[in-house]
Amino acid sequence: MKARKGRGVERPATLIPGDGIGPEVIDAAVEVIAAAGGRIAWDVQLAGKAAFEKVGTAIPEPLLASIRRTRVGLKGPLETEIGGVGYRSVNVALRKTFDLFANVRPIRSHPGVRTAFSGVDLVVVRENTEDLYSGIEHTIAPGVVESVKVITARASRRIARFAFDLARREHRRTVVAIHKANIMKLSDGLFLACARQVAKGHPRVRYRELIVDNACMQLVLRPQTFDVLLLENLYGDIVSDLCAGLVGGLGLVPGANLGARHAIFEAVHGTAPDIVGKNLANPLAVILSSVMLLRHVGQRRAAGRIERAVTRLLREGRHRTRDLGGTATTSAVTRRLIALL
Ligand code: NAD
């Protein structure tokens, strides 16, 4: 750790600007963290398309070495080619390499942001290492392909334990396991069996189960009744975006990928190719992800300051990016946030 005059000890962390709008929103987060008194020594590393174009690999060794050393990262979104034969998802590879088994995405209504709902406060807990993201796909015969859904008792128990521990720690009342075990009787059946087993060890937390299609409907009818959502990888990914829509969209929802030793923080959103380079991206999702990072490394005061400034900014309503119905640019939002700090 480095000490800078008057700033205390700096915690090393890996910074991955990412692709698309990544560098724009990551730059904003770095400025805001510094302005809030966060003490982080960033080690900037390329990944994804940016790395592929520069050094011929999407996951360069120095990136992995940096995360191994710092154990914590802030990451912009990375572009993954849709279909075709391009490199596999770097996000999936990073989650597997560092066994970042828990993807945590807090979804909260923000005062001042107009949406169809208010009072939403739930957490998506998504298993991050297996399911249809195993990447095992093959062609059986021309015109016939198979994708393999891998569910293990070990990973299912581990994520269920994580969800119940989080519920206990955050004084939340209910964990709802979301599944499709009526159709995928073996795989989702195993996931549910593990969740039920873990639930028995947590009698103070209420446990419920919902089939994923019904869960989606309930979420858009009565989102306030949800608390902790426990999901496999694919359902977790899809339901996260649905939940983001409940509170104002992807520009506001942060996330963490947590393992036993390493953690990578990132927004739920992707590279937003439609608005790249236009100074239109909402930086708040990445900024709120950096709040989670600061808490993770024990810098609670800086984290609290940023969180309060974000609330004030949204309440003021004068500096909002287009996704929230405003006309402010990424830089204008960042400047106002820094002023509020
Ligand atoms: P996306 O999240 O990039 O964009 C969906 C919509 O939300 C777009 O209209 C976009 O403009 C808007 N949006 C997203 N973030 C925003 C922000 N901060 N401010 C304002 N508007 C925002 O999803 P997509 O278009 O399906 O995916 C694009 C690429 O991103 C793909 O290559 C995908 O693989 C990748 N992706 C990466 C990650 C990650 O790195 N964690 C996550 C999701 C998608």
Side-chain angles (χ1 to χ4, degrees):
M1 298 205 197
K2 280 191 223 160
R4 271 198 203 153
K5 209 174 161 192
R7 297 207 54 212
V9 174
E10 288 196 327
R11 169 73 162 80
T14 304
L15 187 72
I16 306 161
D19 302 318
I21 59 168
E24 298 170 57
V25 289
I26 287 281
D27 278 357
V30 168
E31 278 184 53
V32 168
I33 291 173
R39 300 176 311 279
I40 307 284
W42 296 110
D43 179 17
V44 182
Q45 295 290 336
L46 290 183
K49 190 178 172 203
F52 192 73
E53 286 174 356
K54 193 153 184 208
V55 293
T57 164
I59 315 178
E61 185 48 43
L63 163 73
L64 299 178
S66 174
I67 299 171
R68 259 183 234 118
R69 180 176 66 81
T70 64
R71 295 193 190 174
V72 61
L74 180 64
K75 182 179 127 349
L78 300 173
E79 184 178 318
T80 307
E81 212 172 89
I82 295 182
V85 291
Y87 57 80
R88 283 189 39 211
S89 165
V90 180
N91 294 313
V92 174
L94 284 175
R95 289 166 194 167
K96 284 193 173 175
T97 305
F98 294 103
D99 199 19
L100 305 171
F101 67 92
N103 188 193
V104 179
R105 294 168 159 180
I107 314 274
R108 280 194 195 106
S109 300
H110 292 272
V113 177
R114 276 189 59 194
T115 58
F117 305 100
S118 58
V120 178
D121 178 9
L122 58 87
V123 187
V124 172
V125 175
R126 165 192 177 202
E127 204 291 325
N128 225 4
T129 61
E130 49 181 37
D131 192 0
L132 278 162
Y133 289 59
S134 66
I136 308 168
E137 289 194 310
H138 38 245
T139 302
I140 298 189
V144 185
V145 295
E146 267 186 1
S147 295
V148 179
K149 170 162 174 159
V150 177
I151 297 291
T152 66
R154 177 178 171 271
S156 303
R157 257 187 242 119
R158 183 163 70 160
I159 195 68
R161 266 189 232 115
F162 182 96
F164 277 93
D165 287 345
L166 179 142
R168 240 188 12 203
R169 216 174 36 246
E170 296 192 0
H171 309 292
R172 291 180 174 273
R173 291 194 181 151
T174 310
V175 171
V176 54
I178 294 175
H179 66 93
K180 190 81 183 172
N182 48 331
I183 303 298
M184 279 155 281
K185 293 179 191 299
L186 280 185
S187 53
D188 286 15
L190 176 61
F191 184 79
L192 275 191
C194 294
R196 284 176 197 161
Q197 194 187 20
V198 172
K200 282 193 186 129
H202 294 79
R204 284 164 183 259
V205 179
R206 193 167 158 236
Y207 173 68
R208 291 198 299 143
E209 293 171 358
L210 279 178
I211 294 176
V212 62
D213 27 1
N214 180 25
C216 289
M217 184 194 64
Q218 303 284 345
L219 273 163
V220 296
L221 278 179
R222 286 178 287 273
Q224 300 87 348
T225 60
F226 285 83
D227 207 349
V228 178
L229 275 52
L230 167 62
L231 306 105
E232 292 169 4
N233 206 338
L234 180 63
Y235 308 145
D237 202 6
I238 297 168
V239 170
S240 292
D241 274 37
L242 183 152
C243 290
L246 301 173
V247 296
L250 289 169
L252 286 175
V253 180
N257 301 287
L258 305 172
R261 288 164 61 84
H262 301 86
I264 297 181
F265 297 81
E266 64 177 334
V268 174
H269 66 70
T271 56
D274 48 335
I275 54 167
V276 178
K278 296 181 179 164
N279 205 9
L280 288 177
N282 188 341
L284 296 179
V286 168
I287 289 170
L288 290 169
S289 305
S290 66
V291 167
M292 295 175 82
L293 180 149
L294 288 169
R295 293 217 165 97
H296 179 80
V297 300
Q299 299 190 19
R300 298 185 167 276
R301 284 176 67 181
R305 270 186 214 128
I306 298 175
E307 207 166 45
R308 286 191 294 278
V310 169
T311 302
R312 283 181 62 190
L313 177 120
L314 290 172
R315 217 175 246 147
E316 277 182 351
R318 278 183 293 129
H319 298 81
R320 286 192 187 167
T321 42
R322 207 172 59 178
D323 56 309
L324 297 181
T327 54
T329 58
T330 312
S331 5
V333 170
T334 311
R335 273 197 307 272
R336 181 63 194 151
L337 203 54
I338 290 171
L340 287 170
L341 284 163

